[in-house]
Amino acid sequence: MKPTVRAFIQAHMSSRRFPGKVLAPFGKEPLIRHVIRAVEQALPHPLVVTSVEPSDDPLVAYLDRLGIETFRGPRADVLERFRGAARRYHPAFVLRVRADCPLLSPGVLRALLAHAGRPGIDLVTTCTPATFPLGQNAELIRTH
């Protein structure tokens, strides 16, 4: 039996260097829309994991209009946001993606997903060693 995998897209609007970056236009659409599209080509029904801060309300409103589900947790503790989402949805694996990578390759995500459920696999990452170009980073993480 294939294990359950859920894509969690990590997003927030309060970037210090570029506030509102995930909703900034990239081409004709907000940046996060490109990320969502790439994730959906690899795994349906992504979940955007964001904060409870009012600054993230416009992001949640945009995602609601798209029909994209969100989970909200503490701004300062990304791990706790992910843990809360994992407790709610109970995936065996989480595919972690950052919302500020609009050129993310669905092929890279599918390559990570191919490892879900293999014996002894708890983490598969494109982050270290740095073998992929910036913007292609994602991780497959066992949750239980």
Side-chain angles (χ1 to χ4, degrees), residues 40-75:
E40 288 177 328
Q41 289 178 41
L43 188 65
H45 313 296
L47 176 72
V48 175
V49 181
T50 191
S51 86
V52 294
E53 295 296 316
S55 62
D56 287 321
D57 291 349
L59 171 62
V60 171
Y62 172 74
L63 296 167
D64 283 347
R65 287 192 303 275
L66 292 179
I68 301 296
E69 194 172 3
T70 58
F71 178 87
R72 299 182 85 169
R75 166 68 184 103

